[in-house]
Amino acid sequence: MSYVDGLGLKLTWDALLEQFSADRKLGKKVLFNLVSTYSHPQRYYHNLGHIQLMMSTLDRMKSLATDFPAIYLATWFHDVIYDPTASDNEEKSAEYAGEVLPKLNIPASTIAATQTLILRTKHHEATADDLDTQILLDADWAILGEEPSEYQFYSQAIRREFVIFSEADYRQGRTQFLEGILQRDRLYFTPLMFAEKEAIARRNLEQEIKTLSE
């Protein structure tokens, strides 16, 4: 996604914080830090474009959510700490959220729910009765079911983020990751996303695996 609606993201952020009577000046500072982090030049995919695609996907499933503010906050914070070579990004992102959100007058229950949701993005698994996690994870993987040209842009961006790895190591690791995803019974949990994107996503993943083997 090349175009990012910064104003739209800000207005949605402000509207959320108003629900909790958060200090507007402090809320603006937190948003500035988030935007700065996601705008780092080495974030070719895990950037504001990713956040925006997730937000637009979430909006379509808002009526299904139990705790939409937590899902929204988890979206903003789930990749705030991102190091392609690390294995604890989710844990650190959840910890960061736990440090920041109390200052915005966010209830402890919402913070706990937000942190749990962030941690669920590590393995992308959700129980049948955990609809909020299903919604977040489907939004996180929305890119997999985009049109092939958009998916190709995504796969190239991921490669640039993993530039530290040799071509051979990357192809092997990426192929293993994609094949693991394809072994799942379904990529998307919610009926809406499954109906719209499941088949497209599987074709995209299969095509990338084929490209990686060439």
Side-chain angles (χ1 to χ4, degrees), residues 116-179:
T116 297
L117 287 167
I118 292 171
L119 294 174
R120 292 289 186 269
T121 65
K122 188 178 184 72
H123 300 293
H124 260 259
E125 297 175 352
T127 58
D129 60 346
D130 189 356
L131 194 54
D132 285 356
T133 295
Q134 293 180 19
I135 292 170
L136 177 70
L137 297 184
D138 280 5
D140 194 24
W141 276 6
I143 185 64
L144 302 185
E146 291 292 289
E147 290 302 312
S149 59
E150 191 70 19
Y151 181 89
Q152 186 176 17
F153 180 82
Y154 148 76
S155 63
Q156 292 171 348
I158 290 293
R159 177 63 182 108
R160 295 179 74 184
E161 288 188 342
F162 283 82
V163 67
I164 191 173
F165 295 98
S166 69
E167 186 65 19
D169 287 344
Y170 178 78
R171 286 175 179 253
Q172 179 180 5
R174 180 70 176 171
T175 298
Q176 183 177 7
F177 171 72
L178 297 176
E179 289 177 342

Side-chain angles (χ1 to χ4, degrees), residues 72-83:
Y72 181 88
L73 290 169
T75 298
W76 264 115
F77 283 87
H78 81 289
D79 282 329
V80 69
I81 306 297
Y82 181 70
D83 176 357

Side-chain angles (χ1 to χ4, degrees), residues 39-98:
S39 300
H40 190 281
Q42 297 304 311
R43 284 179 176 254
Y44 297 100
Y45 169 68
H46 293 88
N47 52 30
L48 288 178
H50 173 49
I51 300 300
Q52 180 167 290
L53 177 58
M54 287 186 68
M55 293 295 184
S56 62
T57 304
L58 291 176
D59 285 343
R60 302 177 61 210
M61 297 185 283
K62 187 174 182 178
S63 62
L64 305 175
T66 301
D67 188 349
F68 190 74
I71 299 174
Y72 181 88
L73 290 169
T75 298
W76 264 115
F77 283 87
H78 81 289
D79 282 329
V80 69
I81 306 297
Y82 181 70
D83 176 357
T85 65
S87 61
D88 60 351
N89 290 318
E90 294 82 5
E91 290 83 355
K92 288 185 176 179
S93 294
E95 182 180 350
Y96 180 78

Side-chain angles (χ1 to χ4, degrees), residues 2 21 23 35 87 94 102 123 154 158 179 182 188 212-213:
S2 57
S21 301
D23 180 86
V35 170
S87 61
H123 300 293
Y154 148 76
I158 290 293
E179 289 177 342
L182 281 173
Y188 297 104
L212 288 167
S213 67

